[in-house]
Amino acid sequence: WGESPAGFRIINIMFHFLTAVVIFYLTALLFNSDVVAFTAAALFAVHPVNVEAVSFISARGSEMCGFYYLIALLFFILHRQKGKRMFLALSAVSFFWSLLSKEFAVTLFVVMIGYDISFKDTPWRKAAASYIPFAALTGLYLFARSVAAGGGGLQVEIFTKDMMLRLVDAPLIIVKYMTLLLFPAGLTIDYKFSNTVSLLSFNTFAALAVICATLFFLLKVRRSNKPVFVCALIFLAPLFLVSGILPVQGESALADRWLYIPAAGFLMIAAYYLLFAYRGHKQRRLLQKLVTISLVMIIALFSYETIKRNRVFKDEHALWHDTVQKSPASFKAHLNHGYALYKTGDTEPASDEFYIALDLKPGSPKAYYNIAVLYQNNMDYERAIDEYEKIIVSGYIFVDAVMNLAECYLKTGDNIQALIYYKRVLRMDPGIPKALLGISNIYAELDNKNKAMEYKEMYDQALLRKKRH
């Protein structure tokens, strides 16, 4: 597709459409109702919380994981109902593709075991044997990941000093996710989540109460409503991984894209209970009309919000401007908004954003670097040097900062300091042509011809290697 995002977005939309189709068949298989299936698929297709997974190109992994995860479950249930090994093989292959997209796919084990516990279609020994391909593929994936990461693999430190803090925050994060599914308002790419300091806070107690009620509901429907139980596991199992208890979801404590799979289970349950009136008799016709009108209004409202939310992802400036408006206390939002403004040539507002980011996160090397680059581009080299030096003092040193610092010293005529930092660049990353040429030129000015020629030859060799690669 080149640099155009249109092709990538078309593929993402295609995956989302196919996921909605899979949800239709999965819901129809579980509830034996095309009406419930269509409603669940329609709600999922237009739900605003899914916009990030679909429109944010770099979040495609969550979308692909969701598609293969749900189709793996569909084939697994077909295997249990029809007994054909082909369906089990297709389920295992789909599971592996899901696992390659995101590690959250491992929660499919919970859903499959939950299905077998609830429906009891298959003797336990036979059921356990059918999990072997999934376990083997998981082992293969973890081994391959470990090799690719140089022995690192999936590293999760569960018992760290902030474990208790995560345990306290997890209920609040789970309830926040539930709220976003019920009332998808104020959606943003970077939620500002404040860590709780006490288990005794009212918010924590309220969140725990909601979770306890959810678990009670889960236990109650395990026998009374088996399809709802399976859907609840689709919702809750992946949600546990993104609740912050296990630090496996990256930097973001909250992100809409983490809800892609849980949203499927949640909306399947919602569709079932919203259409409860349709299972009545003639005296419920008025209620059926009210439910129909309500569903049409919900889908229309979701569609409107989804279209509006999609506009936010049209470019970097629109995305981070929206994020700054909704999360004004977010360091990441201000830093990225500043960078987006800088790329469009709006240097003054970009500078304001960088300074706000620095106020939110004092001592940030990234904020110092961006401010220094602005000064450097405006040929205010003395102030740029001050900002670059702050990065050096912070200890978070990276090549670009040191290189730019050398360039600024060179512009101010301080060849000795420029030489020191050019050589520091080479210690960090030997063979950088720009640093070698800079050193060669400085030695030429200092009338050290031998050194100048030596570094000029090294520069020519570095350029040659770069062309070959």
Side-chain angles (χ1 to χ4, degrees):
W1 304 105
E3 295 184 1
S4 172
F8 296 100
R9 284 179 176 159
I10 289 170
I11 291 175
N12 281 15
I13 291 168
M14 179 191 72
F15 265 110
H16 186 59
F17 171 77
L18 292 174
T19 304
V21 172
V22 172
I23 287 172
F24 173 85
Y25 284 109
L26 182 59
T27 309
L29 192 63
L30 285 169
F31 292 99
N32 196 29
S33 170
D34 288 346
V35 177
V36 174
F38 177 80
T39 304
L43 287 170
F44 181 85
V46 301
H47 201 291
V49 83
N50 289 327
V51 171
E52 184 177 312
V54 179
S55 297
F56 196 31
I57 294 171
S58 61
R60 180 185 291 176
S62 298
E63 185 185 29
M64 292 176 65
C65 178
F67 169 71
Y68 289 116
Y69 184 103
L70 294 170
I71 204 168
L73 180 60
L74 175 64
F75 284 131
F76 176 81
I77 295 173
L78 285 171
H79 166 70
R80 288 294 190 255
Q81 292 184 358
K82 300 182 183 297
K84 293 184 178 179
R85 291 183 179 179
M86 176 187 70
F87 289 128
L88 184 64
L90 289 171
S91 178
V93 170
S94 300
F95 166 74
F96 189 60
W97 281 109
S98 181
L99 197 59
L100 290 173
S101 303
K102 283 284 181 184
E103 291 86 352
F104 302 151
V106 297
T107 61
L108 186 63
F109 280 100
V110 177
V111 183
M112 292 189 300
I113 293 169
Y115 178 88
D116 285 334
I117 290 172
S118 183
F119 281 87
K120 298 178 181 177
D121 290 337
T122 311
W124 268 112
R125 286 187 180 180
K126 188 176 179 181
S130 66
Y131 302 144
I132 293 174
F134 298 90
L137 288 170
T138 303
L140 175 64
Y141 167 78
L142 292 174
F143 174 75
R145 183 185 173 97
S146 177
V147 171
L154 185 62
Q155 298 179 0
V156 179
E157 295 182 10
I158 298 177
F159 298 104
T160 58
K161 62 182 180 180
D162 63 339
M163 180 63 184
M164 284 304 299
L165 188 61
R166 294 203 305 271
L167 286 173
V168 172
D169 287 340
L172 297 170
I173 292 174
I174 290 172
V175 171
K176 176 63 176 178
Y177 277 133
M178 291 179 176
T179 305
L180 290 175
L181 288 169
L182 283 170
F183 308 104
L187 299 176
T188 177
I189 200 171
D190 188 46
Y191 294 97
K192 185 60 182 174
F193 182 78
S194 300
N195 295 100
T196 307
V197 294
S198 174
L199 186 62
L200 303 177
S201 69
F202 173 78
N203 288 342
T204 305
F205 269 118
L208 285 171
V210 172
I211 291 172
C212 288
T214 304
L215 292 175
F216 176 77
F217 167 79
L218 187 67
L219 292 172
K220 187 177 179 180
V221 298
R222 187 175 75 84
R223 293 184 179 179
S224 62
N225 199 322
K226 297 173 184 178
V228 170
F229 176 73
V230 174
C231 293
L233 291 178
I234 298 171
F235 169 57
L236 291 171
L239 200 63
F240 173 81
L241 281 186
V242 297
S243 65
I245 293 176
L246 300 179
V248 295
Q249 73 266 39
E251 295 181 2
S252 302
L254 284 161
D256 294 348
R257 59 187 176 276
W258 305 135
L259 276 175
Y260 200 71
I261 298 173
F266 184 89
L267 295 172
M268 288 160 73
I269 296 171
Y272 172 78
Y273 283 110
L274 281 171
L275 294 169
F276 183 79
Y278 283 88
R279 292 185 292 278
H281 300 287
K282 293 182 179 180
Q283 62 267 30
R284 291 193 177 180
R285 284 182 180 176
L286 177 61
L287 182 59
Q288 290 174 1
K289 289 180 181 179
L290 290 173
V291 170
T292 302
I293 293 169
S294 298
L295 273 174
V296 170
M297 290 178 65
I298 290 170
I299 290 173
L301 181 61
F302 279 3
S303 300
Y304 170 76
E305 289 295 328
T306 293
I307 292 169
K308 191 168 73 171
R309 180 78 181 135
N310 261 294
R311 291 172 184 164
V312 170
F313 288 87
K314 67 179 181 179
D315 55 47
E316 279 186 276
H317 178 265
L319 175 63
W320 293 111
H321 177 75
D322 175 79
T323 309
V324 163
Q325 298 299 311
K326 292 173 180 175
S327 300
S330 168
F331 163 80
K332 178 181 176 182
H334 286 285
L335 190 75
N336 288 344
H337 187 217
Y339 182 66
L341 289 165
Y342 166 73
K343 286 172 69 176
T344 59
D346 296 326
T347 55
E348 285 190 20
S351 178
D352 293 339
E353 287 296 302
F354 293 146
Y355 275 110
I356 292 171
L358 192 59
D359 287 339
L360 291 168
K361 193 175 180 179
S364 166
K366 291 180 180 179
Y368 284 141
Y369 178 79
N370 289 349
I371 292 168
V373 168
L374 287 179
Y375 285 136
Q376 186 176 359
N377 289 344
N378 289 331
M379 292 184 288
D380 190 346
Y381 299 114
E382 294 291 347
R383 295 178 76 177
I385 287 170
D386 289 341
E387 300 301 325
Y388 285 128
E389 289 285 6
K390 290 174 184 176
I391 298 172
I392 304 299
V393 171
S394 75
Y396 184 80
I397 306 169
F398 47 97
V399 171
D400 287 346
V402 181
M403 174 69 80
N404 288 354
L405 182 55
E407 295 284 319
C408 287
Y409 274 120
L410 191 65
K411 292 290 185 181
T412 61
D414 193 339
N415 287 345
I416 300 302
Q417 285 295 324
L419 185 62
I420 289 170
Y421 282 107
Y422 275 134
K423 288 188 175 181
R424 189 166 183 173
V425 169
L426 294 179
R427 288 198 299 271
M428 296 170 70
D429 190 354
I432 293 181
K434 192 175 182 181
L436 292 167
L437 183 61
I439 293 172
S440 176
N441 291 336
I442 291 172
Y443 277 126
E445 285 189 26
L446 295 174
D447 205 26
N448 191 334
K449 294 181 181 179
N450 291 334
K451 284 287 185 180
M453 287 297 296
E454 179 187 341
Y455 277 93
K456 182 64 169 62
E457 289 175 5
M458 291 168 65
Y459 165 73
D460 292 336
Q461 291 171 6
L463 276 184
L464 192 61
R465 284 194 299 272
K466 192 174 180 180
K467 287 179 182 178
R468 287 173 181 171
H469 288 90

